[in-house]
């Protein structure tokens, strides 16, 4: 049976890579994209989500989410990383479709009532929508099959501050609330994303094997790779958000560690992920009453990249 998924997203170049994979994979059924701020503003994320789905022939819904964090002022979007349009200045034609009548939170509530125990949320942006979901319908934790979150940095340095990853930094209160909840959650932090680099050669091969999906992704990746080269000296780009989807389809590519999680919500370390390994104790009260979640702390880059290329190649055949 196919995995029914909703991707909570702020497209975003690596978001586009994850969405393309979800469309291409025969074992995934993409029900919807729910949108959030982060790489772009929320209304821009909705525009981008609609454009990608129409361009790639998907009839998945698009439901618009929250426009601002729970408690802090919104940070500026990551235009420097993803381009002013979110797609590295690559032109994706605007969609003729419109967003769903329900907002993102109500869409998820309704969908999980239609398919109880069947839906996985792959959250690849700030977690404001999921925090609002917990507020509006606490019982949703029992109706979701799983929640997979791309965010945080557990044993790895941050990417917007020395300790904070961008998604958690953009709404640390929401991230902390989501990690405190007792739903079946898997975290995909920078620990598992940074070992993987999509090189220019890899992206060109992707475009050759699957022109429909791969050509725009390869064009976007050129902009993305310029950021990685200039800021980190990396010869390519990191496909962070794909991990939250590929956990469902190639779990053997990831090394796991179990433990309780929390997020710093103020001060110079705002957005930092705190981790207490399962079976250990400390005097840190922030973990009191929190469930242990699975954390992806490492990736077999060869297996991951081979799977991505294989899925995209077979989709084009």
């Amino acid at each position: 049976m196919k995995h029914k998924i909703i991707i909570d997203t702020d497209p975003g170049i690596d978001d586009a890579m994850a969405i393309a994979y979800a469309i291409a994979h025969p074992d995934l059924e993409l029900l919807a994209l729910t949108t959030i701020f982060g790489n772009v503003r929320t209304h821009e994320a909705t525009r981008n989500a609609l454009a990608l789905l129409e361009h790639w022939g998907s009839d998945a819904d698009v439901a618009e989410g929250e426009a601002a964090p729970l408690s802090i002022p919104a940070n500026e979007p990551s235009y420097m990383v993803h381009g002013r349009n979110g797609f590295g200045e690559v032109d994706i034609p605007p969609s003729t479709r419109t967003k769903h009548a329900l907002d993102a939170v109500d869409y998820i509530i309704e969908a999980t009532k239609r398919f109880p125990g069947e839906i996985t949320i792959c959250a690849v942006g700030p977690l404001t929508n999921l925090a609002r979901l917990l507020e509006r319908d606490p019982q949703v934790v029992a109706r979701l099959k799983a929640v997979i979150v791309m965010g945080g940095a557990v044993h790895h340095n941050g990417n917007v501050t020395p300790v904070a990853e961008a998604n958690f930094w953009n709404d640390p209160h929401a991230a902390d609330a989501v990690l405190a909840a007792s739903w079946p959650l898997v975290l995909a932090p920078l620990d598992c994303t940074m070992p993987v680099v999509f090189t220019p050669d890899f992206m060109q091969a992707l475009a050759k094997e699957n022109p429909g999906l791969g050509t725009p992704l390869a064009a976007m990746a050129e902009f993305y790779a310029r950021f990685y080269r200039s800021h980190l000296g990396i010869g390519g780009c990191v496909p962070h958000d794909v991990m939250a989807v590929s956990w469902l389809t190639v779990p053997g590519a990831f090394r796991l560690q179990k433990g309780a999680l929390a997020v710093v919500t103020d001060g110079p370390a705002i957005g930092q992920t705190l981790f207490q390994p399962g079976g250990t104790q400390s005097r840190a009260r922030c973990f009191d009453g929190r469930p242990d979640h699975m954390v992806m702390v490492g990736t077999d880059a060869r297996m991951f990249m081979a799977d991505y290329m294989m899925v995209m190649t077979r989709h084009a055949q």
Side-chain angles (χ1 to χ4, degrees):
M1 192 170 72
K2 288 188 176 185
H3 297 280
K4 291 181 171 65
I5 66 170
I6 295 172
I7 302 180
D8 192 60
T9 177
D10 55 338
I13 296 169
D14 55 329
D15 304 71
M17 292 173 174
I19 292 163
Y21 180 86
I23 291 170
H25 204 293
D27 295 337
L28 298 174
E29 180 183 354
L30 180 61
L31 300 179
L33 304 179
T34 52
T35 61
I36 192 65
F37 58 87
N39 296 327
V40 293
R41 293 184 170 88
T42 302
H43 72 278
E44 296 168 331
T46 301
R47 175 201 67 198
N48 286 357
L50 287 164
L52 280 180
L53 292 179
E54 182 158 322
H55 192 59
W56 286 336
S58 170
D59 60 0
D61 294 324
V62 174
E64 188 164 272
E66 297 291 311
L70 295 183
S71 301
I72 63 171
N75 297 308
E76 283 297 306
S78 300
Y79 296 136
M80 179 177 68
V81 182
H82 295 271
R84 186 59 184 79
N85 70 346
F87 292 149
E89 311 308 337
V90 174
D91 182 39
I92 303 294
S95 174
T96 57
R97 295 173 53 195
T98 57
K99 64 185 180 183
H100 200 276
L102 296 177
D103 71 9
V105 173
D106 281 345
Y107 184 93
I108 294 170
I109 291 171
E110 192 276 334
T112 57
K113 289 179 177 177
R114 274 191 295 134
F115 303 109
E118 295 184 44
I119 293 176
T120 296
I121 296 178
C122 300
V124 298
L127 296 178
T128 318
N129 289 337
L130 270 63
R132 293 295 188 201
L133 176 65
L134 290 167
E135 292 175 357
R136 203 176 295 179
D137 183 4
Q139 286 72 41
V140 74
V141 298
R143 297 198 306 273
L144 281 163
K145 183 178 180 181
V147 176
I148 310 170
V149 171
M150 189 280 122
V154 175
H155 306 299
H156 201 280
N157 293 338
N159 62 356
V160 289
T161 77
V163 295
E165 178 275 333
N167 288 338
F168 284 13
W169 180 76
N170 273 313
D171 195 342
H173 297 84
D176 189 56
V178 168
L179 297 181
S182 295
W183 44 18
L185 184 143
V186 179
L187 184 67
L190 296 181
D191 308 61
C192 76
T193 69
M194 291 303 295
V196 180
V197 177
F198 282 2
T199 64
D201 286 348
F202 180 87
M203 295 308 300
Q204 288 305 313
L206 193 70
K208 181 179 179 181
E209 295 296 335
N210 188 330
L213 298 178
T215 299
L217 290 179
M220 294 179 199
E222 292 181 13
F223 186 100
Y224 204 28
R226 285 198 293 271
F227 170 83
Y228 278 97
R229 185 167 53 250
S230 62
H231 286 74
L232 297 174
I234 292 175
C237 57
V238 179
H240 302 282
D241 292 347
V242 181
M243 276 67 176
V245 183
S246 61
W247 162 252
L248 293 170
T249 56
V250 59
F254 303 103
R255 184 165 57 88
L256 299 174
Q257 191 173 4
K258 192 174 186 179
L261 295 151
V263 179
V264 177
T265 55
D266 58 18
I270 190 169
Q272 181 178 12
T273 310
L274 305 176
F275 178 67
Q276 183 169 281
T280 68
Q281 295 181 336
S282 74
R283 298 179 67 179
R285 299 278 67 88
C286 62
F287 300 113
D288 287 355
R290 295 202 173 209
D292 285 347
H293 294 307
M294 299 306 300
V295 180
M296 297 153 64
V297 294
T299 301
D300 182 326
R302 284 190 179 183
M303 183 185 297
F304 175 89
M305 293 175 69
D307 171 74
Y308 193 89
M309 183 67 75
M310 179 187 69
V311 168
M312 298 289 273
T313 299
R314 287 181 176 176
H315 173 262
Q317 293 173 349

